[in-house]
Amino acid sequence: MSVAGLSHRLGGRDILSDVDLVVPAGSFVVLLGPNGAGKTTLFSLLTRLYTARCGTIEIFGHDLARNPGKALALLGVVFQQRSVDPDLTARQNLAYHAALHGMPRGTARRRIEAELERVGLAAEADRKIRSFSGGELRRIEIVRALLHGPRLLLCDEATVGLDVRSRAAILSDVRDLVRERGIAVLWATHLIDEVEPEDATVILHRGRIRWQGRAGTMAADMGRGRLQDAFRSLTEEAA
Ligand code: ADP
Ligand code: MG
C-alpha cells in the first residue's frame, strides 16, 4: 500500500499535509502519533469514508480513487470506535459481515469457525457481544476484519482502553498474523511502548510525517538516549 502527497482539510483546517507512506506487502508498520495527529483521518481516507482531494492512495496495484471496489476488497479494518452490534451474538456479527462481502454461506461458516478457534473464542461466540470483555470484543473485530482474506489490515488504536495483558496479547496476535500469513499491517497507536526497535515506524504529528525508519534508530537519529525521549521531542515542537 502506498500513499503519496496526501493532504486533507476538515473544518477549514489542514488535518493532513503532504503525507507519504508505504506499507510493503507482508510487513508490519507502526503509525505512531499523539492524540490529534491525524491517524484516524488518514484511516478514513484509506477506507474512503472521506475522499482524498489531494494525493494518491494505491492498495497493492489498485488506485483507490479509480478502482475503489478492488482496492477496498484488499483491506481489513479495525476501527478506533467499536463497530460490532452489541445485541447480536459474535457469530451473528461475523456472519453479517461475511454476507456483506458476498461470501457464500458455507465458506463464511468455515472461515468464521477457523478464525474463532485461532483466537480461542469458538466456545463463546453464541453470546451477545454486550457480554464480552473489551479484549474479547477486539479479538472479534480482528476476526471480522480478516474474514474476506485482506492483504492489508488497518488497526486504529486497537488496544485503547484495554488492560496491559490484553493489550500485549492482541498486539502479539497481530504480529503473528504478519509472520505466519504474510498479511501487511498498519498499526496506529499513540503508545510508544507498543513499538519494538525493529519495527518500521512512521511518526505523525499535527498532520505531518516527522520521521520514518526503524524505531531502534530513532533515538540515535535524534541525538537522544531513549526512544521515549526521541518520540517526545519529535512531537513537542510547534506545527
Ligand atoms: P488521531 O486519530 O491521530 O487522534 P484525528 O485524525 O482523529 O487524530 O484528528 C486529527 C485532527 O483533526 C484533530 O485536531 C481533530 O480535532 C481534527 N478533526 C477530526 N475530525 C474533524 C472534523 N470532522 N472536523 C474538523 N476537525 C476534525
Ligand atoms: Mg484516532
Side-chain angles (χ1 to χ4, degrees):
M1 186 274 280
S2 65
V3 164
L6 190 67
S7 298
H8 197 66
R9 288 173 70 83
L10 286 171
R13 274 181 49 220
D14 290 325
I15 307 297
L16 292 174
S17 307
D18 203 20
V19 168
D20 295 327
L21 174 74
V22 176
V23 182
S27 66
F28 182 84
V29 175
V30 180
L31 178 66
L32 181 64
N35 290 329
K39 303 181 295 296
T40 297
T41 304
L42 175 61
F43 276 40
S44 300
L45 290 163
L46 292 173
T47 53
R48 266 192 127 226
L49 214 54
Y50 300 149
T51 306
R53 295 214 169 70
C54 191
T56 56
I57 299 172
E58 196 195 278
I59 299 174
F60 302 122
H62 302 290
D63 183 277
L64 184 61
R66 278 191 305 228
N67 210 347
K70 288 212 161 123
L72 290 174
L74 299 175
L75 283 188
V77 191
V78 177
F79 294 101
Q80 182 168 359
Q81 303 296 337
R82 291 172 181 188
S83 59
V84 275
D85 186 328
D87 290 320
L88 295 182
T89 68
R91 263 199 190 84
Q92 285 169 333
N93 268 287
L94 295 170
Y96 175 64
H97 179 83
L100 270 184
H101 276 271
M103 219 178 281
R105 266 200 196 179
T107 312
R109 209 172 300 129
R110 275 193 303 280
R111 287 205 191 155
I112 288 170
E113 287 318 305
E115 293 292 341
L116 284 171
E117 284 290 343
R118 192 183 62 81
V119 298
L121 287 174
E124 319 294 326
D126 288 321
R127 274 170 34 208
K128 284 190 179 174
I129 284 293
R130 193 175 287 296
S131 71
F132 279 60
S133 72
E136 289 170 336
L137 195 144
R138 279 307 195 185
R139 283 177 189 284
I140 294 294
E141 288 183 323
I142 293 171
V143 164
R144 182 182 61 178
L146 294 173
L147 283 183
H148 60 290
R151 291 184 62 198
L152 172 64
L153 182 64
L154 302 176
C155 294
D156 192 359
E157 309 244 18
T159 58
V160 137
L162 303 182
D163 62 47
V164 176
R165 264 181 64 188
S166 309
R167 265 176 54 193
I170 285 186
L171 180 52
S172 107
D173 189 45
V174 170
R175 288 181 184 277
D176 287 347
L177 287 171
V178 176
R179 259 193 307 271
E180 290 163 14
R181 294 198 204 175
I183 292 177
V185 171
L186 182 60
W187 179 267
T189 183
H190 68 277
L191 301 164
I192 185 119
D193 64 354
E194 294 188 345
V195 184
E196 300 288 343
E198 69 275 14
D199 287 338
T201 304
V202 176
I203 310 272
L204 186 71
H205 178 49
R206 297 189 179 165
R208 288 181 187 277
I209 305 269
R210 303 297 165 143
W211 187 89
Q212 41 185 320
R214 297 275 152 204
T217 64
M218 182 168 49
D221 264 18
M222 299 297 299
R224 304 275 166 162
R226 296 188 327 140
L227 211 55
Q228 280 88 342
D229 297 333
F231 178 51
R232 199 171 304 128
S233 78
L234 281 164
T235 55
E236 261 172 8
E237 76 203 62

